[in-house]
């Protein structure tokens, strides 16, 4: 029996359910406009209406929020804590309205005030506190955990500026600061009472105790404060509202008045600046030592604050730490929060006096870890000297964990090579701390994010740890929330679906399979095509407005939007576009399928190769779009500043989804799921979740090409020679020759030398090797497009068979097999 220390007061008021009719909302929005925003409706600007609307919707979210929190207390429920350096949540107003069933009445209420909801909600800034798929996954999971009624907290960082805002100037990416907080953030609640001290540096004092054990006391040299900001995340139908708690860094003493009054105005504020730096930006460049240190400070900062917070909550409610794993499940989203393993040990052993073995049992039973990448350069390690300087006590704890781990491995007669591979310390070159190994050692479950990725984990990075702990690795294929990515983003398709199979699909996505009956139905196909066309017209308008480019909504919209990375192979797609450009000009008589190639995505600020790929896409667009010989049959568009809101417009408008990573390199992908759910056909490799998408939608309804992961590994092992492949593929050679001749970079023929040299040199991502298979697959796509009935049949079957990729399914699997918490 767990002892319950804190209980909700029985007389605590339970909010009465509010009315949700348009007249009530109208009155509330007007009241918020006057008394919260402080504006007269006569002079209110669109931003004021947005703020007033958010506040009116927010009140209803808060009612559900309080009920959810009480409910978790009353039931002594186990809570899930999702630790993530990124939460790419996007806009919240539409999400909250939709999940609370308020879209209609709010639309009517605003209309009666001559305010257009669509216009106003577009002013809400994207909360761009993430980089790509990993951060969006965390956001989808937050919504799904609320929807399947799991009490959960998301823990992360409240970046003053998220990732940069991308502008394209003269075809090149430039990075500008993202100022999402410029107009304030009506969704968040600052919690001054939830503030914790976070320390760095200094030394460790060790004294021997009576029982011959040692007591370690960390004497840090620097301390900052973590202050909580809470954002409510509403689940479907408002069933549960969970908390996203983001930490902001502040100095303990914001200003040193003595220094200030001496005239040292800069020095007086130095401490505040140094503290605030921690939560300024996501992914500060780590190309300098200072940049690396800042990242490690960020990671430790949010992990320590979050653990202090959840331990405090646990002790307050349950009184003792022995029950921690019964009431707390900590999920580490990738290795960024892996220092949690050492920090929780420190809290249990140093601060709460538990003995090592008991603390280790509680730690590993509470923590689990999700791996997101096998790319060696993305596996986090820290120089030992940096780690030791910043976190001296944690370094000792990691040594102790490692000693026990190696001892256990030796006892099972591991070889020296195996010991070196599973050690938490990399001894090659400069010694480094390996966060992946630390996260693995400190977790009871380690999951991959697709079937293929999980199998590869077992044979690559974690081969030796898997031998030692064969039950630890498990698969949890990623998912996406159907609320945002279908119901909200694609109103037209949602109406079509509910008209056909009824409203139950809104609560039971699995019933989507009933759509298969309509796949061949001419009338349904026509309505499906009309919905797609309307979505394409909306995107075409967006492209026209943003970039002044006209695209034809009857052309095939062929879309690749995602972070720009060599392994994702945007380059393969661009090279194919150039090749088609050549063929349209050399064979004008052929029946070319009109296509618009749409690209979007950010490149990391210091990733030169990726930035060159963006430049090439823009250069090719300039040449192709202006060439009259193309007769509009091919258009190329690179849409700047890809983010969640843009994805919500692009995804429903796509005909073809490009998922063409080098097999074995994309852990899962979630963009692939969004597109297929919205009725796009996928052209893709057998990589990540593409494999499972094929299994669900059927091999006839997806276009798969190229080498498998196994073939990629073999080819590399054999010694791959891209030059001979290029020489044997004339269309590809022509394309590269054109690039070398400066066709796309007049006056600067060397502009793309960096890309060409890599293709001829190592071509690690096997662009040349897959080129022929890719172009062949694209012509297969053309043939399908030329038979609209077949195309629509396949597109409908994609939507019909994607329900399994709902994040609700993923979350229920985590709940059952990793967290052991009940779900709805
Ligand atoms: C879904 C999503 C991603 C992930 O896309 P992948 O194709 O899986 O890499 C990245 N960014 C945004 C804005 C997204 O919505």
């Amino acid at each position: 029996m767990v002892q319950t220390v804190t209980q909700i007061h029985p007389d605590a008021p339970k909010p009465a359910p509010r009315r949700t009719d348009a007249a009530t909302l109208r009155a509330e929005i007007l009241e918020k406009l006057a008394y919260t925003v402080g504006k007269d409706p006569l002079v209110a600007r669109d931003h004021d209406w947005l703020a007033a609307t958010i506040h009116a919707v927010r009140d209803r979210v808060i009612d559900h929020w309080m009920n959810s929190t009480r409910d978790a207390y009353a039931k002594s429920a186990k809570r899930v804590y999702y630790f993530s350096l990124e939460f790419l949540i996007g806009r919240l107003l539409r999400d909250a309205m939709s999940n609370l069933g308020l879209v209609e009445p709010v639309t009517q209420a605003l209309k009666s005030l001559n305010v257009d909801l669509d216009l106003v909600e577009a002013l809400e800034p994207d909360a761009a506190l993430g980089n790509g798929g990993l951060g969006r996954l965390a956001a989808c999971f937050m919504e799904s955990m609320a929807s399947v009624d799991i009490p959960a907290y998301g823990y992360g960082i409240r970046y003053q500026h998220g990732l940069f805002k991308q502008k394209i100037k003269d075809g090149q990416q430039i990075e500008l600061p993202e100022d999402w907080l410029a107009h304030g953030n009506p969704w968040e609640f600052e919690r001054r009472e939830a503030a914790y001290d976070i320390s760095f540096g200094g030394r460790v004092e060790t004294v021997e105790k009576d029982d011959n054990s040692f007591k370690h006391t960390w004497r840090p040299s620097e301390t900052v404060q973590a202050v909580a900001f809470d954002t409510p995340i509403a689940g479907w139908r408002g069933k549960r509202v969970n908390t996203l708690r983001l930490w902001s860094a502040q100095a303990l003493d914001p200003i040193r008045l003595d220094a200030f009054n001496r005239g040292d105005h800069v020095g007086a504020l130095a401490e505040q600046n140094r503290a605030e730096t921690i939560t300024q930006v996501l992914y500060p460049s780590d190309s300098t030592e200072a940049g690396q240190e800042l990242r490690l400070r960020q990671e430790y900062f949010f992990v320590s604050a979050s653990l202090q917070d959840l331990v405090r909550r646990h002790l307050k409610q349950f009184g003792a730490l022995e029950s921690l794993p019964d009431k707390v499940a900590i999920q580490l989203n990738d290795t960024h929060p892996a220092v949690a393993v050492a920090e929780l040990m420190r809290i249990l052993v140093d601060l709460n006096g538990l003995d090592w073995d008991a603390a280790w049992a509680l730690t590993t039973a509470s923590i689990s870890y999700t791996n997101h990448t096998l790319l060696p350069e993305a596996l986090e390690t820290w120089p030992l000297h940096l780690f030791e300087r910043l976190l001296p006590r944690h370094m000792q704890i990691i040594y102790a964990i490692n000693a026990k781990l190696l001892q256990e491995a030796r006892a099972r007669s591991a070889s020296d090579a195996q010991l070196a591979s599973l050690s938490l310390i990399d001894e090659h070159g400069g010694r480094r701390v390996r966060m992946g190994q630390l996260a693995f050692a400190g977790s009871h479950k380690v999951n991959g994010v697709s079937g293929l990725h999980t199998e590869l984990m077992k044979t690559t990075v974690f081969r030796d740890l898997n031998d030692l702990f064969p039950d630890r690795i498990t698969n949890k294929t990623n998912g996406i929330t159907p609320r945002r990515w279908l119901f909200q983003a694609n109103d037209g398709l949602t109406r079509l679906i509910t008209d056909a199979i009824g409203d139950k699909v809104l609560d039971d996505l699995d019933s989507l399979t009933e759509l298969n009956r309509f796949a061949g139905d001419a009338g349904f196909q026509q309505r499906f095509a009309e919905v797609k066309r309307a979505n394409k017209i909306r995107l075409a308008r967006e492209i026209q407005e943003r970039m002044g480019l006209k695209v034809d909504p009857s052309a095939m919209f062929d879309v690749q939007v995602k972070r720009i990375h060599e392994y994702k192979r945007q380059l393969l797609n661009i090279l194919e576009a150039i090749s088609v450009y050549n063929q349209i000009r050399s064979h004008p008589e052929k029946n070319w399928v009109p296509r618009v190639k749409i690209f979007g995505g950010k490149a990391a600020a210091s990733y030169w190769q990726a930035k060159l790929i963006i430049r090439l896409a823009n250069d090719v667009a300039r040449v192709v779009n202006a060439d009259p010989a193309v007769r509009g049959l091919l258009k190329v568009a690179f849409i700047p500043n890809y983010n969640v809101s843009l994805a919500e417009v692009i995804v429903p408008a796509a005909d073809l989804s490009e998922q063409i990573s080098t097999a074995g390199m994309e852990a899962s992908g979630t963009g692939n799921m969004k597109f297929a759910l919205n009725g796009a056909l996928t052209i893709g490799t057998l990589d990540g979740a593409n494999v499972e998408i094929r299994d669900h939608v059927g091999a006839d309804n997806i276009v798969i090409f190229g080498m498998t992961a196994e073939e990629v590994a073999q080819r590399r092992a054999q010694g791959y020679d891209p030059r001979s492949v290029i020489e044997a593929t004339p269309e590809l050679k022509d394309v590269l020759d054109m690039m070398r001749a400066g066709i796309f970079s007049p006056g600067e023929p060397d502009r793309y030398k960096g890309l060409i040299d890599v293709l001829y040199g190592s071509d690690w991502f096997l662009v040349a090797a897959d080129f022929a298979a890719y172009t062949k697959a694209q012509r297969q796509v053309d043939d399908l497009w030329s038979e609209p009935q077949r195309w629509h049949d396949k597109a409908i079957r994609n939507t019909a068979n994607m329900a399994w990729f709902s994040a609700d399914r993923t979350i229920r699997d985590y709940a059952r097999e990793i967290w052991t918490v009940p779900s709805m």
Side-chain angles (χ1 to χ4, degrees):
M1 227 355 237
V2 189
Q3 185 202 355
T4 300
V5 173
T6 301
Q7 278 190 330
I8 295 294
H9 195 279
D11 298 335
K14 223 178 146 66
R18 287 167 198 262
R19 297 177 53 172
T20 57
D21 56 291
T24 305
L25 278 154
R26 179 194 149 100
E28 276 187 33
I29 290 170
L30 282 172
E31 189 191 301
K32 296 291 179 190
L33 187 71
Y35 298 106
T36 306
V37 183
K39 277 285 174 88
D40 186 312
L42 283 174
V43 297
R45 298 164 314 130
D46 289 341
H47 266 112
D48 303 321
W49 287 113
L50 172 67
T53 308
I54 289 177
H55 279 287
V57 171
R58 196 185 76 168
D59 280 358
R60 288 169 166 73
V61 175
I62 291 172
D63 291 343
H64 291 278
W65 199 15
M66 306 218 155
N67 287 337
S68 300
T69 311
R70 284 176 190 177
D71 175 68
Y73 261 104
K75 291 182 178 149
S76 297
K78 183 169 181 177
R79 298 180 179 89
V80 172
Y81 294 96
Y82 200 82
F83 282 37
S84 181
L85 200 58
E86 302 182 27
F87 285 92
L88 195 51
I89 50 184
R91 293 182 181 136
L92 284 178
L93 177 56
R94 168 73 48 166
D95 203 46
M97 285 190 308
S98 169
N99 280 1
L100 266 48
L102 298 173
V103 175
E104 256 324 290
V106 171
T107 307
Q108 291 313 322
L110 286 175
K111 202 179 200 169
S112 74
L113 295 161
N114 281 324
V115 179
D116 179 358
L117 173 61
D118 289 345
L119 210 106
V120 163
E121 74 178 339
L123 296 175
E124 185 182 354
D126 261 50
L129 311 182
N131 179 28
L134 176 150
R136 186 53 232 175
L137 184 78
C140 281
F141 279 6
M142 285 306 295
E143 197 270 358
S144 268
M145 287 191 285
S147 292
V148 304
D149 201 16
I150 294 174
Y153 283 77
Y155 275 132
I157 293 180
R158 179 179 179 270
Y159 302 99
Q160 201 65 234
H161 310 280
L163 200 67
F164 60 86
K165 187 153 60 188
Q166 180 193 56
K167 282 240 161 91
I168 302 295
K169 188 158 181 279
D170 303 327
Q172 299 184 75
Q173 166 175 301
I174 46 179
E175 300 97 29
L176 299 173
E178 171 75 68
D179 53 358
W180 70 296
L181 294 170
H183 290 270
N185 177 6
W187 289 112
E188 68 183 10
F189 293 84
E190 183 171 356
R191 306 292 192 201
R192 283 270 145 192
E193 73 282 11
Y196 298 94
D197 287 357
I198 313 296
S199 298
F200 301 97
R203 63 201 163 77
V204 180
E205 258 174 35
T206 303
V207 290
E208 195 167 347
K209 292 191 289 189
D210 294 344
D211 61 354
N212 294 337
S213 68
F214 294 96
K215 175 158 180 56
H216 302 276
T217 310
W218 182 17
R219 304 278 179 219
S221 57
E222 184 190 352
T223 299
V224 302
Q225 223 180 31
V227 177
F229 286 75
D230 287 353
T231 299
I233 305 289
W236 181 234
R237 303 226 188 261
K239 169 76 188 151
R240 164 170 287 286
V241 176
N242 283 327
T243 302
L244 175 60
R245 174 161 280 191
L246 302 177
W247 301 101
S248 182
Q250 291 176 13
L252 294 178
D253 295 315
I255 181 168
R256 283 187 23 232
L257 273 182
D258 55 339
F260 198 86
N261 290 330
R262 270 200 317 272
D264 181 7
H265 303 151
V266 173
L269 294 166
E271 198 180 319
Q272 177 72 354
N273 278 330
R274 185 167 163 77
E276 284 178 358
T277 302
I278 297 174
T279 50
Q280 279 296 323
V281 297
L282 169 65
Y283 296 133
S285 168
D286 60 357
S287 54
T288 62
E289 169 100 18
Q292 281 187 28
E293 175 174 336
L294 178 55
R295 272 210 208 183
L296 184 54
R297 286 163 72 89
Q298 288 185 325
E299 294 181 359
Y300 178 66
F301 168 81
F302 100 87
V303 162
S304 177
S306 308
L307 286 174
Q308 291 185 57
D309 195 42
L310 72 86
V311 165
R312 176 198 55 85
R313 183 175 302 112
H314 180 83
L315 283 174
K316 189 160 169 250
Q317 189 173 6
F318 302 110
L321 287 166
E322 281 65 28
S323 60
L324 196 72
D326 303 329
K327 298 298 169 190
V328 165
I330 298 167
Q331 188 69 39
L332 307 181
N333 194 25
D334 213 336
T335 56
H336 312 128
V339 70
V341 174
E343 173 70 353
L344 186 52
M345 285 299 287
R346 187 183 73 87
I347 291 173
L348 296 177
V349 175
D350 294 3
L351 304 186
N352 289 277
L354 273 72
D355 79 48
W356 180 278
D357 291 339
W360 184 244
L362 296 178
T363 296
T364 53
S366 302
I367 294 180
S368 45
Y369 151 58
T370 305
N371 173 275
H372 282 275
T373 179
L374 305 172
L375 296 184
E377 70 271 23
L379 292 170
E380 246 187 335
T381 63
W382 295 107
L384 214 99
H385 67 90
L386 169 63
F387 203 100
E388 191 152 35
R389 178 163 58 75
L390 211 60
L391 301 169
R393 177 60 187 140
H394 299 79
M395 194 65 246
Q396 290 180 341
I397 291 171
I398 288 172
Y399 279 134
I401 295 171
N402 201 34
K404 299 215 177 223
L405 178 71
L406 296 177
Q407 193 182 11
E408 195 170 340
R410 268 192 217 101
R412 306 224 205 143
S413 52
S415 70
D416 283 352
Q418 282 171 322
L419 293 176
S421 126
L422 56 79
S423 172
L424 307 190
I425 310 294
D426 185 352
E427 306 279 358
H428 308 293
R431 301 173 75 209
R432 302 178 76 91
V433 185
R434 292 168 161 161
M435 302 310 269
Q437 273 78 354
L438 175 62
F440 192 113
S443 296
H444 61 286
K445 288 287 174 192
V446 174
N447 75 286
V449 289
S450 73
L452 174 65
H453 165 65
T454 301
E455 287 314 303
L456 290 173
M457 259 169 67
K458 293 181 188 168
T459 56
T460 59
V461 266
F462 294 134
R463 194 186 59 200
D464 297 302
L465 278 166
N466 184 52
D467 281 350
L468 204 55
F469 306 102
D471 298 330
R472 198 166 293 185
I473 295 185
T474 173
N475 177 241
K476 297 285 165 281
T477 299
N478 282 167
I480 54 170
T481 165
R483 270 76 60 185
R484 185 177 288 260
W485 296 110
L486 180 58
F487 307 159
Q488 293 160 37
N490 203 340
D491 187 47
L493 184 55
T494 304
R495 279 170 204 272
L496 178 61
I497 293 169
T498 51
D499 283 352
I501 63 175
D503 283 350
K504 66 178 183 302
V505 70
L506 301 176
D507 298 281
D508 170 24
L509 200 71
D510 290 336
S511 67
L512 260 186
T513 55
E514 292 175 28
L515 271 192
N516 280 303
R517 282 193 283 133
F518 298 92
D521 180 307
F524 189 84
Q525 283 192 359
Q526 195 195 331
R527 290 195 292 280
F528 191 85
E530 278 162 10
V531 167
K532 183 62 80 180
R533 187 175 167 80
N535 292 336
K536 290 167 75 175
I537 290 170
R538 179 174 65 163
L539 176 57
R541 205 181 315 122
E542 200 72 30
I543 291 175
Q544 167 89 48
E545 274 167 22
R546 282 175 192 242
M547 22 194 326
L549 178 70
K550 256 196 157 47
V551 298
D552 177 4
S554 21
M556 183 199 306
F557 280 16
D558 170 352
V559 181
Q560 187 170 23
V561 288
K562 48 183 76 234
R563 277 179 306 123
I564 309 293
H565 200 291
E566 286 164 282
Y567 86 80
K568 291 177 182 277
R569 296 201 297 192
Q570 283 93 354
L571 184 56
L572 177 59
N573 191 350
I574 301 168
L575 297 179
E576 203 268 338
I578 301 175
S579 162
V580 169
Y581 170 58
N582 291 338
Q583 292 173 63
I584 291 175
R585 287 181 305 152
S586 58
H587 300 286
E589 74 290 352
K590 273 206 197 156
N591 241 341
W592 291 100
V593 168
R595 281 204 199 213
V596 183
K597 286 238 176 221
I598 294 166
F599 294 90
K602 296 175 184 175
S606 57
Y607 188 178
W608 296 107
Q609 211 68 355
K611 290 176 120 171
L612 210 47
I613 292 171
I614 292 178
R615 194 170 190 190
L616 179 62
N618 282 293
D619 274 346
V620 170
R622 189 173 33 76
V623 171
V624 168
N625 296 348
D627 190 336
V630 175
R631 294 167 288 136
L633 291 170
L634 179 63
K635 283 259 165 90
V636 179
F638 187 97
I639 310 182
N641 204 37
Y642 179 56
N643 61 12
V644 173
S645 298
L646 201 47
E648 286 165 4
V649 181
I650 294 174
V651 168
D655 295 305
L656 186 65
S657 156
E658 299 266 357
Q659 308 299 337
I660 60 178
S661 51
T662 313
M665 307 204 81
E666 185 74 88
S668 165
T670 48
N672 46 4
M673 301 169 189
K674 298 167 197 166
F675 284 104
L677 180 63
N678 281 275
L681 264 59
T682 303
I683 182 168
T685 47
L686 281 178
D687 198 15
N690 294 354
V691 178
E692 287 147 274
I693 292 178
R694 180 198 58 176
D695 294 344
H696 280 85
V697 305
D700 287 346
N701 303 313
I702 184 169
V703 180
I704 295 291
F705 74 94
M707 277 180 276
T708 61
E710 211 168 316
E711 288 164 350
V712 165
Q714 270 173 15
R715 187 87 179 245
R716 283 176 179 159
Q718 284 163 5
Y720 162 56
D721 172 24
R723 179 173 298 272
S724 64
V725 176
I726 296 168
E727 301 294 340
T729 317
E731 311 89 85
L732 177 57
K733 186 166 185 311
D734 286 350
V735 167
L736 297 178
D737 287 347
M738 285 166 74
M739 283 168 60
R740 214 196 313 258
I743 302 288
F744 305 104
S745 52
E748 196 193 335
D750 276 352
R751 186 177 292 170
Y752 295 110
K753 188 170 182 304
L755 293 179
I756 298 167
D757 286 352
V758 167
L759 284 180
Y760 275 96
S762 64
D763 189 19
W764 179 249
F765 300 98
L766 297 126
V767 170
D770 266 345
F771 182 84
Y774 179 56
T775 53
K776 191 167 159 226
Q778 287 287 20
R779 301 296 74 77
Q780 218 178 306
V781 170
D782 283 344
D783 292 344
L784 271 179
W785 183 261
S786 309
E787 292 181 73
Q789 284 173 10
R790 279 184 72 201
W791 183 280
H792 296 319
D793 182 287
K794 290 178 193 303
I796 294 165
R797 287 185 194 281
N798 268 267
T799 299
N801 294 297
M802 283 298 292
W804 190 78
F805 296 91
S806 164
D808 297 355
R809 184 270 312 156
T810 314
I811 286 299
R812 289 188 185 105
D813 287 353
Y814 276 88
R816 201 173 48 247
E817 292 160 25
I818 299 182
W819 303 330
T820 53
V821 297
S823 65
M824 222 174 61

